[in-house]
Amino acid sequence: MAFSNSSDNEVKLPMGYMFAPTKPEIMIYLRSKILGRPLPSDAIPTVDIYATSPEELPFSEFKYGNGIRWYFYSTKPKHDVFTKDGYWSSFLDDIIVSHSKVIGFKRKLVFYRGNLGSWTKTCWMISEYRAHTNVFTASELDENTKEKISNIVLCKVFEAEDPIMFEQTDISESTSSDDSTDEGDDARHYKDGSDS
């Protein structure tokens, strides 16, 4: 498992504040990461999420949330990647729209624990965000950038109270997204709602 996060640009938030980006703001973080430009802050660590079991993720590296959802940059795998005790499986794809323009993609994944022939669905979920080429200028879209757009993702990890209900609700509500805060999408599914 590999992760990194610089402390040179560490953010100190006032009491009561937390990292809760809207979907367009997530695209800003992704765009800056892909282009190798300074990020709005170093709030988001980089982790090989898909090769890591949920309990082994370095949650302490993400310091600006509410303790029930965590954000990480990662690399999008080209196929299922097995951890030592399970794997992440996708079940929903959606688009992200802002001001009638597609700006990104959102994919939902659930963690299955077990071994070949015997898998158990857990409550661990990922909302994976990937940028669309629309958020880049024509001069920025060289081959290197296009490859990074396909590979670099921003992931929100959390535990759902009921993964079956989570899937059924999200599939029934799968429509183009708007500028609402990302936290609102999954809030009804969290085990701990004490922050609301």
Side-chain angles (χ1 to χ4, degrees), residues 49-86:
I49 251 184
Y50 298 102
T52 308
S53 298
E55 293 85 356
E56 296 183 350
L57 288 169
F59 294 122
S60 62
E61 292 294 309
F62 179 68
K63 305 173 183 179
Y64 307 105
N66 60 359
I68 59 174
R69 43 191 176 263
W70 303 266
Y71 288 84
F72 301 102
Y73 290 114
S74 193
T75 301
K76 186 178 186 294
K78 300 186 185 306
H79 50 76
D80 285 339
V81 177
F82 289 83
T83 71
K84 66 180 183 181
D85 62 351

Side-chain angles (χ1 to χ4, degrees), residues 46-172:
T46 299
V47 178
D48 187 1
I49 251 184
Y50 298 102
T52 308
S53 298
E55 293 85 356
E56 296 183 350
L57 288 169
F59 294 122
S60 62
E61 292 294 309
F62 179 68
K63 305 173 183 179
Y64 307 105
N66 60 359
I68 59 174
R69 43 191 176 263
W70 303 266
Y71 288 84
F72 301 102
Y73 290 114
S74 193
T75 301
K76 186 178 186 294
K78 300 186 185 306
H79 50 76
D80 285 339
V81 177
F82 289 83
T83 71
K84 66 180 183 181
D85 62 351
Y87 72 102
W88 294 97
S89 177
S90 64
F91 63 87
L92 179 69
D93 291 285
D94 200 3
I95 60 173
I96 300 171
V97 176
S98 179
H99 302 294
S100 302
K101 177 182 177 182
V102 177
I103 60 172
F105 306 94
K106 181 176 181 179
R107 184 169 71 137
K108 298 289 183 70
L109 302 97
V110 61
F111 187 75
Y112 283 86
R113 196 181 307 279
N115 49 50
L116 291 177
S118 178
W119 300 107
T120 301
K121 183 183 295 182
T122 72
C123 291
W124 285 102
M125 303 283 174
I126 289 176
S127 291
E128 175 200 272
Y129 299 90
R130 183 164 55 91
H132 192 282
T133 53
N134 284 342
V135 301
F136 299 86
T137 65
S139 62
E140 292 169 341
L141 287 174
D142 56 27
E143 291 304 313
N144 182 52
T145 299
K146 290 178 180 178
E147 183 177 356
K148 289 182 178 180
I149 291 172
S150 298
N151 294 330
I152 296 177
V153 293
L154 198 161
C155 297
K156 178 178 66 177
V157 182
F158 60 98
E159 269 192 287
E161 183 175 1
D162 185 341
I164 295 178
M165 182 180 297
F166 178 89
E167 293 185 27
Q168 291 174 342
T169 304
D170 278 345
I171 290 172
S172 66

